[in-house]
């Protein structure tokens, strides 16, 4: 089914309702994530305070000595030590984030080596990752203070929850003679709050509950800011990430082209070449048969008297007994050889045609929507196709999108047990850049994942060669949704 009307891909997950949001708000103080984030803010304070103060003092000392004439070398050595210290502190912060937050930031590349003493010194002073780690340690000082303030929401909430108990234990009631009331703690400076009656302690308890409901979100704000700083300053730089990604995609593209060439060579060697050799052998055998029959049918040479041996003349009595009779042509055997040669030639042409179609499907000559319509029409499973591609992608992108759709549809037929499938191809804009989004959905049993032998790993590698992405959402019981995102031009 081919529908060219615009369509927006469905999200992989259902949007949260107001009830689920309210339930998440009430459960937030009891979740492991909330307590882990509070513990992270609490433990990051001494590490951030000690590391930040020490590094700030050493940086100030090294910079002061470096600008002086007498201590320039000593100052440079101190700054080099600061880079080493910053890298070490950055590793500690990455380890703490990985252990409590599950935020695993890859470490930066090692500083480049230099030649000679001054070359190594210059390389250490130009260590961009070290300076970024130093920037993180310095910025971590105020962030740690904010994290401790977020933890204060937890502490004040827990203390206020014990207000009725403290009122009874410490005897702060109307007959105790206390002039002042019992203080109520708040994380926001709002003057002194006190309760003077036992009933008032329940208002403090309600305030404690409210603070506990808000405390996880206060620590989460600080932690999210810290996550961004971790990724930006303690991991590889964006340029290094881009270079590494380009190196990986280049390697994938080279491997993919080598695999394609090997497949073409194997198919030619094991298929068409074998059949063409068989055709040549059959034609040689036919040639030999026809040659033998022709030599036996004619006299071949002139006799001694100048007359052809095959010409009619008076017969001699001994001619009937000179030798054996000339062999007759076996037409049945010749026909069999011709049939075999014809069959092999036909099979070779078919294999060459299939091989050419595997390199570049001819159906793509009319564009991706028509090619997918042909693919859906030939499928053994009912397929609903929706396309909205106003601008035609480049041939390389069309080829990748077509092979992704064909491979995913093959997976649906072979492995999912689905009754029907849906293919959606739309063009969308992301940051002002046109993107081609392909989505294949089926109502099968689910459980599909990259790396389980379903061909998804190869598709991931193929789309990465053009900076594309592939996502799989396939819970047990289905449905399975595979989304492929490709640029419009490679």
């Amino acid at each position: 089914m081919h529908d060219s009307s615009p369509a927006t891909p469905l999200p992989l997950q259902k949007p949260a309702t107001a009830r689920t949001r309210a339930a998440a708000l009430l459960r937030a103080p009891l979740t492991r994530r909330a307590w882990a984030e509070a513990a992270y803010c609490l433990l990051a304070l001494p590490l951030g305070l000690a590391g930040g103060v020490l590094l700030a003092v050493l940086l100030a000392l090294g910079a002061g000595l470096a600008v002086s004439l007498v201590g320039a070398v000593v100052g440079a050595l101190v700054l080099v030590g600061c880079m080493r210290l910053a890298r070490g502190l950055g590793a500690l912060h990455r380890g703490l984030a990985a252990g409590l937050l599950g935020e695993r930031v890859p470490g930066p590349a090692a500083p480049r080596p230099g030649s000679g003493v001054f070359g190594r010194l210059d390389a250490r002073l130009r260590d961009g990752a070290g300076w970024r780690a130093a920037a993180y340690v310095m910025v971590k000082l105020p962030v740690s203070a904010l994290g401790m303030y977020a933890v204060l929401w937890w502490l004040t909430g827990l203390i206020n929850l014990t207000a009725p108990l403290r009122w009874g234990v410490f005897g702060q009631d109307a007959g105790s003679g206390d002039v002042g009331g019992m203080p109520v703690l708040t994380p926001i400076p709002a003057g002194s709050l006190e309760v003077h009656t036992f009933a008032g302690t329940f208002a403090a308890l309600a305030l404690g509950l409210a603070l506990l409901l808000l405390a996880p979100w206060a620590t989460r704000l600080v932690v999210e800011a810290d996550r961004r700083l971790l990724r930006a300053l303690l991991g590889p730089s964006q340029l290094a990430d881009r270079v590494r990604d380009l190196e990986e995609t280049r390697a994938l593209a080279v491997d993919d082209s080598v695999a394609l060439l090997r497949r073409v060579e194997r198919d030619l060697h094991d298929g068409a070449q074998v059949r063409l050799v068989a055709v040549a052998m059959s034609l040689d055998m036919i040639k030999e048969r026809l040659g033998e029959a022709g030599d036996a049918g004619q006299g071949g040479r002139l006799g001694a008297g100048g007359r052809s041996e095959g010409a009619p003349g008076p017969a001699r009595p001994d001619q009937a007994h000179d030798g054996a009779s000339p062999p007759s042509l076996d037409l049945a055997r010749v026909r069999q050889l011709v049939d075999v040669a014809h069959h092999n030639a036909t099979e070779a042409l078919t294999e060459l045609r299939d091989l050419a179609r595997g390199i570049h499907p001819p159906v793509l000559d009319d564009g991706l929507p028509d090619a997918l319509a042909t693919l859906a029409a030939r499928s053994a499973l009912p397929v609903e196709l929706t396309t909205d591609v106003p601008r035609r992608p480049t041939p390389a992108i069309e080829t990748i999108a077509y092979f992704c759709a064909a491979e995913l549809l093959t997976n649906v037929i072979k492995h999912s047990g689905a009754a029907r499938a849906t293919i959606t191809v739309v063009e969308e804009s992301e940051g002002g850049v046109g993107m081609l989004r392909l989505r294949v959905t089926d109502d099968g049993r689910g459980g599909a994942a990259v790396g389980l032998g379903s061909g998804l790993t190869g598709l991931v590698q193929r789309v990465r060669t053009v900076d594309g992405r592939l996502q799989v959402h396939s819970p047990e019981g289905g449905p399975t949704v595979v989304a492929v995102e490709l640029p419009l031009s490679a």
Side-chain angles (χ1 to χ4, degrees), residues 105-239:
V105 179
R112 62 180 180 87
S115 58
V117 176
F118 290 101
R120 288 193 293 270
L121 183 62
D122 180 70
R124 297 299 188 275
L125 290 176
R126 294 175 181 270
D127 182 15
W131 285 107
R132 286 188 288 111
Y136 175 82
V137 174
M138 300 303 297
V139 175
K140 186 68 175 180
L141 276 171
V143 174
S144 298
L146 289 175
M148 195 61 203
Y149 176 69
V151 173
L152 186 63
W153 287 65
W154 289 89
L155 296 176
T156 54
L158 291 173
I159 292 174
N160 287 333
L161 283 181
T162 64
L165 180 62
R166 286 186 289 114
W167 182 278
V169 171
F170 294 104
Q172 290 176 298
D173 52 24
S176 63
D178 292 337
V179 178
M182 187 178 68
V184 178
L185 303 179
T186 61
I188 302 174
S192 59
L193 298 178
E194 296 179 348
V195 293
H196 299 274
T197 62
F198 179 71
T201 60
F202 290 97
L205 185 146
L207 177 62
L209 285 175
L211 291 175
L212 283 181
L213 290 177
L214 295 175
W217 307 105
T219 53
R220 191 158 300 173
L221 285 175
V222 178
V223 167
E224 286 301 320
D226 199 7
R227 286 179 190 268
R228 293 178 180 271
L229 290 173
L230 280 166
R231 297 168 189 156
L233 298 178
L234 292 187
S237 64
Q238 293 183 355
L239 180 59

Side-chain angles (χ1 to χ4, degrees), residues 361-377:
V363 290
L364 284 175
D365 294 340
D366 296 328
L368 183 61
D370 291 338
L372 293 179
T374 303
L375 181 67

Side-chain angles (χ1 to χ4, degrees), residues 378-396:
R378 294 176 178 175
S379 173
L381 196 71
V383 177
E384 180 182 354
L385 175 65
T386 303
T387 61
D388 179 26
V389 188
R391 293 180 296 173
R392 184 169 181 176
T394 58

Side-chain angles (χ1 to χ4, degrees), residues 21 28 83 105 126 196 243 305 445:
R21 292 194 186 98
M83 295 302 99
V105 179
R126 294 175 181 270
H196 299 274
V243 169
R445 64 178 66 94

Side-chain angles (χ1 to χ4, degrees), residues 27-325:
R27 288 196 305 266
L30 305 177
T31 59
R32 182 181 179 276
R33 175 183 177 182
W35 287 97
E37 291 174 344
Y40 176 79
C41 292
L42 188 61
L43 294 177
L45 178 64
L47 180 60
L49 183 62
V53 171
L54 178 60
L55 189 62
V57 172
L58 291 177
L59 283 174
L61 178 62
L65 291 173
V67 297
S68 65
L69 295 177
V70 179
V73 176
V74 177
L77 293 176
V78 172
L79 291 177
V80 170
C82 289
M83 295 302 99
R84 287 180 173 271
L85 177 62
R87 277 180 170 265
L89 291 173
L92 290 177
H93 284 291
R94 285 197 302 271
L96 184 63
L100 292 176
L101 304 179
E103 183 71 30
R104 290 171 175 81
V105 179
R112 62 180 180 87
S115 58
V117 176
F118 290 101
R120 288 193 293 270
L121 183 62
D122 180 70
R124 297 299 188 275
L125 290 176
R126 294 175 181 270
D127 182 15
W131 285 107
R132 286 188 288 111
Y136 175 82
V137 174
M138 300 303 297
V139 175
K140 186 68 175 180
L141 276 171
V143 174
S144 298
L146 289 175
M148 195 61 203
Y149 176 69
V151 173
L152 186 63
W153 287 65
W154 289 89
L155 296 176
T156 54
L158 291 173
I159 292 174
N160 287 333
L161 283 181
T162 64
L165 180 62
R166 286 186 289 114
W167 182 278
V169 171
F170 294 104
Q172 290 176 298
D173 52 24
S176 63
D178 292 337
V179 178
M182 187 178 68
V184 178
L185 303 179
T186 61
I188 302 174
S192 59
L193 298 178
E194 296 179 348
V195 293
H196 299 274
T197 62
F198 179 71
T201 60
F202 290 97
L205 185 146
L207 177 62
L209 285 175
L211 291 175
L212 283 181
L213 290 177
L214 295 175
W217 307 105
T219 53
R220 191 158 300 173
L221 285 175
V222 178
V223 167
E224 286 301 320
D226 199 7
R227 286 179 190 268
R228 293 178 180 271
L229 290 173
L230 280 166
R231 297 168 189 156
L233 298 178
L234 292 187
S237 64
Q238 293 183 355
L239 180 59
D241 284 339
R242 183 58 179 165
V243 169
R244 186 177 64 250
D245 188 62
L246 288 176
E247 289 176 347
E248 292 178 356
T249 54
R250 183 189 63 181
L252 290 173
V254 171
D255 292 342
D256 186 66
S257 62
V258 170
L260 178 60
L261 290 176
R262 286 179 178 175
R263 182 171 62 85
V264 171
E265 188 273 336
R266 185 180 63 249
D267 291 343
L268 288 175
H269 182 272
D270 299 339
Q273 180 177 339
V274 174
R275 297 194 179 278
L276 291 175
V277 169
V279 170
M281 293 178 63
S282 298
L283 293 176
D284 286 340
M285 296 174 68
I286 295 172
K287 181 179 178 181
E288 292 176 0
R289 293 280 180 175
L290 294 176
E292 292 175 357
D295 291 341
Q298 67 178 14
R301 298 178 186 231
L302 294 176
R307 186 175 52 194
S308 173
E309 295 179 359
R316 296 184 308 184
D318 58 343
Q319 281 184 345
H321 304 285
D322 279 347
S325 301

